[in-house]
Amino acid sequence: MSIEKWETCSSEYIVKRPWATLRVDECKLPDGRIAKEYYVLEYPNWVNVVAITEDEKVIMVKQYRHSGDIISLEIPGGVIDGDENPADAAKRELLEETGYLFEDLELVSTIYPNPATSNNVTYCYLAKGGKKVQEQDLDEHEDIDIEFYSIDEVKQMLLNNEIPQALHVTGLMYAFLKMGVLS
């Protein structure tokens, strides 16, 4: 049996706000059945970055995440603005959140956070050779601490389940595989 895409017959927006957009689609399945109410969360695309400074330290950020009610250790990242190029968004987010400038960026993964319910993509980059060029320039509701770790320390934190954000764990794993530092 081969898997086929569904046909969207109609869409209706239930909520349409900058950070929360919900629509309901009516879809025709390949076998002819109709899914009358399939809910889709629309989010902008995101970037995250495994950032390695010129002295071989991994930049991590710590911040409060209200929906999960946790203080989360993560890699830097954020929303892609409009039609911004993902690599440009990654550089911008690094500069804003950490004050570090990176020129050497490589895309290591493109993943879907949850394609069952949301429509966005996360682009993960590996950035090397970063230099501090300014202080943080945070958004209105951001409160971010910057922390630096060796690659071995981050690997141990992954083994100890100390990095709770799934997209960031995935990014770290792809970047570490690319760098050849996972055994």
Side-chain angles (χ1 to χ4, degrees):
M1 180 168 124
S2 72
I3 303 297
E4 298 178 35
K5 291 185 175 186
W6 296 3
E7 176 187 335
T8 303
C9 302
S10 64
S11 292
E12 177 187 346
Y13 283 97
I14 308 299
V15 175
K16 198 167 187 177
R17 300 274 196 257
W19 292 103
T21 298
L22 174 65
R23 73 171 201 260
V24 62
D25 292 348
E26 181 175 297
C27 300
K28 182 177 180 182
L29 283 63
D31 65 5
R33 290 179 294 147
I34 300 294
K36 290 199 172 283
E37 292 185 337
Y38 197 92
Y39 291 89
V40 177
L41 294 164
E42 292 184 3
Y43 293 111
N45 292 332
W46 302 325
V47 293
N48 60 36
V49 186
V50 177
I52 314 289
T53 64
E54 60 185 348
D55 62 346
E56 296 294 313
K57 294 293 184 183
V58 180
I59 301 176
M60 302 289 289
V61 294
K62 191 178 276 188
Q63 58 189 313
Y64 175 68
R65 295 299 195 181
H66 182 71
S67 296
D69 192 30
I70 61 170
I71 295 173
S72 183
L73 183 62
E74 304 173 351
I75 56 178
V79 170
I80 297 172
D81 292 337
D83 61 356
E84 184 179 28
N85 175 287
D88 293 337
K91 289 179 182 181
R92 175 185 50 74
E93 285 290 340
L94 280 168
L95 194 57
E96 290 173 2
E97 290 188 0
T98 70
Y100 277 72
L101 179 65
F102 287 83
E103 296 298 335
D104 181 8
L105 258 82
E106 179 181 4
L107 181 66
V108 292
S109 66
T110 302
I111 57 175
Y112 292 81
N114 186 355
T117 60
S118 62
N119 69 339
N120 65 321
V121 175
T122 298
Y123 301 91
C124 184
Y125 288 87
L126 171 60
K128 296 180 184 173
K131 299 177 185 178
K132 181 154 177 141
V133 296
Q134 69 179 45
E135 296 304 313
Q136 290 175 304
D137 183 18
L138 301 175
D139 292 338
E140 177 185 8
H141 296 120
E142 287 182 317
D143 185 15
I144 296 174
D145 285 344
I146 304 167
E147 298 184 356
F148 300 90
Y149 297 93
S150 70
I151 290 170
D152 285 339
E153 288 172 323
V154 175
K155 286 170 46 179
Q156 190 60 52
M157 287 187 290
L158 287 167
L159 288 171
N160 294 344
N161 197 29
E162 296 174 17
I163 301 171
Q165 220 286 18
L167 299 174
H168 297 224
V169 169
T170 303
L172 283 161
M173 298 299 272
Y174 276 110
F176 286 176
L177 284 168
K178 182 74 173 175
M179 294 169 61
V181 297
L182 281 185
S183 52

